[in-house]
């Protein structure tokens, strides 16, 4: 006797609940052959496909369910989840907002919407979403955690500490919250408080690499270099390898530095933090290491100007500045290098704006010219130039006494800056960019550096392994730049 539709539907739902996903998918598809207008089955098929991580196939199933029943809340939220997994954030945001319009008390959807808004740099909107998630579900520890991270990103550290602690209170084994709380204290130079949180992580997860490398940094910042070296060596990550090198430098164990770089020269070829340190120690000791990335990075700086792309570059610059005014800026984001200034979060090139798209084309042409200029060089920086890349860009406005602390872009390959507004140098290099072999945790007064006093429209490109900073300026004016990175697709975002 043939199974009727209701029985088959119950069988499919049971299979889905029991994790028999292929069976559930096949049953739902069979039902739709004879009942193509069953919106619940379309949604259920989407859920089976989602659980199979077939997000692309799940999307049309959810859309069909919505087409058949436009106010189907669950299908809207499921569609948002699939689109978010596919990185289609704009469309996911629309789906989540529709679900919340139909049913405002969905804490998970408020939390997911907050994550999208944070990724897009709309941090204050993200805060509102996380607070709504907590309103509807006060014990939602992950929403408290996300709220804390967002509060930290906009510089409200005291509130972030409260939210991290609330997340930990709700989930005492939430080691990610302990790590991030420790990181916040480390940024504030409250080293003992940072260590307490990292040690708690190690109680919960003894070999946690983030806790190991950060507690190593606590020891380094305290001047306890042997302990720092021990913990850096124990975490077996690229950050640990780099930390061990500058700990050895602090201990004046120069031979051990060369030995370590030599033993891992091939493995660490694309570790830009090790590349930067290798350049420094090569100059300091007058002896090359076996690291191949770019031991003379200051020789790979290139400078051009927007004048080579426009007859009237100032017109383009003014129009670009007008477009950039519509993009959110955040004052002194704590995880960035900007001091007394504002910086955009996310990628400028994700905005479908005319002048920003023109700027992207200019940068792509500049990068092509840069590569052609240096294509005969033998270092890995040129010889292993990545074939698959993406561009990430952001803009920074510095105010009086503004600057950027020394930093490098460890997840990039080539970095650059375009100057839209500059400030007077006052014969003291104010507002200039300084590129140097000295690093955040090691330096020597004799190390070479290059200082460029920019003109409006200047474009400067350099290997991402170079530490660089902005020299503070005293003029009551704005310094306006667009920065960008060429990133290998294999590197983390």
């Amino acid at each position: 006797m043939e199974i009727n539709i209701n029985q088959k539907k119950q069988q499919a739902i049971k299979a889905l609940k029991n994790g028999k996903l292929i069976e559930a998918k096949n049953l739902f598809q069979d039902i739709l052959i004879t009942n193509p207008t069953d919106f619940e089955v379309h949604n259920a098929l989407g859920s089976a496909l989602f659980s199979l991580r077939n997000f692309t196939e799940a999307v049309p199933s959810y859309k069909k369910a919505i087409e058949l029943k436009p106010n189907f809340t669950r299908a809207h939220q499921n569609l948002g989840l699939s689109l978010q997994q596919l990185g289609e954030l704009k469309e996911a945001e629309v789906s989540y907002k529709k679900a919340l319009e139909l049913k405002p008390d969905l804490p998970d959807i408020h939390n997911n919407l907050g994550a999208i808004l944070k990724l897009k740099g709309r941090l204050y909107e993200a805060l509102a979403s996380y607070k709504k998630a907590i309103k509807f579900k006060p014990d939602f520890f992950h929403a408290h955690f996300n709220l804390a991270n967002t509060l930290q990103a906009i510089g409200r550290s005291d509130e972030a500490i409260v939210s991290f602690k609330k997340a930990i209170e709700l989930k005492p084994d939430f080691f990610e919250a302990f790590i991030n709380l420790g990181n916040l204290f480390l940024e504030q130079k409250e080293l003992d408080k940072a260590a307490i949180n990292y040690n708690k992580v190690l109680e919960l997860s003894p070999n946690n690499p983030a806790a190991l490398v950060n507690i190593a940094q606590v020891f380094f910042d305290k001047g306890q270099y042997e302990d720092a070296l021990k913990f850096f060596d124990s975490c077996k990550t690229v950050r640990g390898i780099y930390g061990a090198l500058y700990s050895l430098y602090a201990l004046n164990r120069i031979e051990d530095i060369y030995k370590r770089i030599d033993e891992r020269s091939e493995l660490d070829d694309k570790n830009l933090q090790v590349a930067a340190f290798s350049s420094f120690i090569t100059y300091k000791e007058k002896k090359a290491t076996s690291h191949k990335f770019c031991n003379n990075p200051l020789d790979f700086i290139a400078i051009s100007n927007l004048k080579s792309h426009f007859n009237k570059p100032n017109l383009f610059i003014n129009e670009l500045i007008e477009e950039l005014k519509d993009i959110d800026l955040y004052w002194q984001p704590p995880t960035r290098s900007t001091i007394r200034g504002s910086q955009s979060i996310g990628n400028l090139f994700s905005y479908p704006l005319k002048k920003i798209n023109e700027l992207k084309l200019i940068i792509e042409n500049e990068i092509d010219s840069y590569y052609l200029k240096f294509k005969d060089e033998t270092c890995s920086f040129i010889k292993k130039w990545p074939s698959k890349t993406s561009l990430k860009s952001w803009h920074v406005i510095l105010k009086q006494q503004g600057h950027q602390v020394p930093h490098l872009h460890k997840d990039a390959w080539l970095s650059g800056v375009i100057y839209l507004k500059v400030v007077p140098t006052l014969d003291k290099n104010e507002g200039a960019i300084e590129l140097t072999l000295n690093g955040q945790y090691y330096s020597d007064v004799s190390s070479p550096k290059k200082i460029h006093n920019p003109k409006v429209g200047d474009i400067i490109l350099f290997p991402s392994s170079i530490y660089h900073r902005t020299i503070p300026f005293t003029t009551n004016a704005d310094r306006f730049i667009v920065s960008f990175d060429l990133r290998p697709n294999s590197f983390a975002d």
Side-chain angles (χ1 to χ4, degrees):
M1 180 176 172
E2 187 176 344
I3 300 175
N4 66 39
I5 292 299
N6 285 335
Q7 287 176 309
K8 186 174 282 190
K9 190 184 291 189
Q10 292 303 314
Q11 186 180 339
I13 291 170
K14 183 179 178 181
L16 182 60
K17 287 181 177 178
N18 291 334
K20 297 178 180 179
L21 303 178
I22 299 295
E23 179 185 338
K25 182 194 77 165
N26 292 337
L27 286 167
F28 287 131
Q29 288 174 332
D30 285 347
I31 294 167
L32 290 172
I33 292 171
T34 53
N35 290 267
T37 61
D38 191 326
F39 60 87
E40 289 185 335
V41 173
H42 280 289
N43 182 66
L45 174 59
S47 296
L49 292 164
F50 184 94
S51 297
L52 287 164
R53 303 191 66 77
N54 292 337
F55 308 120
T56 302
E57 295 179 39
V59 166
S61 290
Y62 294 134
K63 285 184 175 179
K64 185 64 178 178
I66 292 166
E67 178 188 324
L68 293 165
K69 187 181 180 182
N71 290 339
F72 192 0
T73 304
R74 193 162 66 254
H76 283 290
Q77 65 187 72
N78 287 341
L79 176 59
L81 286 168
S82 290
L83 291 167
Q84 187 173 9
Q85 288 289 338
L86 292 168
E88 297 177 20
L89 302 185
K90 183 177 179 180
E91 294 82 358
E93 180 183 346
V94 171
S95 292
Y96 286 148
K97 286 184 174 178
K98 181 61 179 179
L100 292 169
E101 177 188 317
L102 295 165
K103 187 172 172 52
D105 61 341
L106 296 170
D108 287 331
I109 301 308
H110 283 294
N111 186 58
N112 291 343
L113 177 59
I116 287 175
L117 294 168
K118 186 171 185 289
L119 278 172
K120 295 174 79 172
R122 292 154 58 188
L123 301 188
Y124 289 95
E125 292 178 65
L127 281 183
S129 288
Y130 293 135
K131 286 178 179 178
K132 285 179 182 177
I134 293 165
K135 173 186 174 182
F136 293 117
K137 188 179 179 183
D139 62 348
F140 195 170
F141 65 87
H142 212 273
H144 285 283
F145 175 69
N146 289 336
L147 177 62
N149 288 326
T150 310
L151 286 165
Q152 184 180 0
I154 59 175
R156 290 159 59 176
S157 297
D158 290 344
E159 294 173 70
I161 290 169
V162 172
S163 290
F164 279 131
K165 288 182 175 179
K166 183 63 178 179
I168 290 166
E169 176 190 323
L170 292 166
K171 185 174 171 57
D173 63 346
F174 193 4
F175 63 78
E176 292 93 342
F178 282 111
I179 288 173
N180 287 16
L181 180 55
N183 292 346
L184 194 159
F185 285 130
L186 186 60
E187 287 176 6
Q188 296 180 332
K189 303 301 181 186
E190 295 193 52
L191 302 182
D192 291 333
K193 290 182 180 179
I196 287 169
N197 284 279
Y198 297 140
N199 281 320
K200 184 62 179 178
V201 176
L202 294 175
E203 290 175 20
L204 297 166
S205 177
N207 296 312
N208 185 281
L212 289 170
V213 77
N214 284 316
I215 203 163
Q217 191 60 50
V218 169
F219 281 121
F220 185 90
D221 289 353
K222 287 184 170 185
Q224 297 171 230
Y225 303 128
E226 289 286 1
D227 289 324
L229 178 62
K230 180 180 71 174
F231 276 94
F232 278 129
D233 278 342
S234 68
C235 64
K236 311 298 182 188
T237 64
V238 291
R239 177 66 177 83
I241 292 161
Y242 168 59
L245 290 175
Y246 63 70
S247 297
L248 287 168
Y249 180 73
L251 292 164
N252 199 33
R253 289 168 55 180
I254 306 302
E255 288 186 15
D256 287 339
I257 290 171
Y258 277 86
K259 181 179 179 182
R260 289 195 181 206
I261 292 175
D262 184 57
E263 289 172 347
R264 296 186 53 89
S265 60
E266 293 300 321
L267 291 172
D268 293 337
D269 193 32
K270 297 177 183 177
N271 183 335
L272 266 63
Q273 291 171 313
V274 172
F277 182 82
S278 177
S279 301
F280 167 79
I281 203 70
T282 291
Y283 179 85
K284 178 72 169 58
E285 299 298 319
K286 310 303 180 194
K287 175 185 173 185
T289 73
S290 55
H291 199 280
K292 306 298 183 190
F293 184 76
C294 188
N295 265 345
N296 301 296
L298 296 179
D299 294 338
F300 288 80
I301 298 169
I303 299 170
S304 58
N305 193 282
L306 288 171
K307 290 178 182 178
S308 63
H309 298 273
F310 298 100
N311 292 326
K312 297 180 178 179
N314 287 339
L315 176 62
F316 171 77
I317 289 170
N318 291 335
E319 291 174 339
L320 177 60
I321 288 173
E322 283 301 309
E323 278 193 352
L324 293 173
K325 286 179 180 178
D326 293 330
I327 295 173
D328 291 336
L329 288 169
Y330 300 95
W331 181 257
Q332 292 188 177
T335 55
R336 302 299 194 270
S337 58
T338 300
I339 306 298
R340 288 204 53 77
S342 300
Q343 181 170 333
S344 64
I345 308 295
N347 190 353
L348 291 182
F349 297 138
S350 66
Y351 294 89
L353 298 172
K354 182 179 178 182
K355 296 303 170 183
I356 289 176
N357 285 332
E358 285 185 41
L359 182 69
K360 184 179 181 184
L361 292 174
I362 291 167
I363 290 171
E364 289 171 344
N365 288 332
E366 289 285 336
I367 290 171
D368 289 342
S369 298
Y370 179 94
Y371 177 76
L372 289 174
K373 178 178 180 178
F374 294 107
K375 66 181 178 64
D376 294 328
E377 299 291 336
T378 59
C379 58
S380 296
F381 171 59
I382 298 300
K383 290 301 180 185
K384 295 185 179 181
W385 193 268
S387 57
K388 294 182 179 180
T389 61
S390 60
L391 275 173
K392 183 173 183 180
S393 180
W394 60 99
H395 70 295
V396 181
I397 301 176
L398 295 179
K399 300 290 186 180
Q400 189 176 25
Q401 295 298 338
H403 61 284
Q404 290 188 304
V405 299
H407 64 286
L408 57 73
H409 301 183
K410 64 183 178 63
D411 295 325
W413 196 268
L414 177 74
S415 296
V417 184
I418 299 177
Y419 294 87
L420 306 184
K421 289 184 180 180
V422 300
V423 296
T425 65
L426 303 181
D427 296 324
K428 295 183 289 186
N429 296 321
E430 290 196 6
I433 182 172
E434 179 185 278
L435 303 104
T436 177
L437 298 187
N438 288 333
Q440 186 176 3
Y441 304 111
Y442 53 88
S443 63
D444 186 88
V445 292
S446 67
S447 286
K449 61 186 177 184
K450 289 192 176 181
I451 294 175
H452 176 65
N453 288 296
K455 300 178 180 65
V456 171
D458 273 0
I459 306 168
I460 181 168
L461 294 97
F462 50 90
S464 299
S465 61
I466 297 181
Y467 272 93
H468 52 286
R469 73 179 182 112
T470 304
I471 297 173
F473 57 92
T474 57
T475 304
N476 185 15
D478 289 351
R479 179 184 183 273
F480 199 137
I481 64 166
V482 171
S483 295
F484 57 89
D485 281 337
L486 179 73
R487 293 186 167 197
N489 287 354
S490 58
F491 281 17
D493 186 40

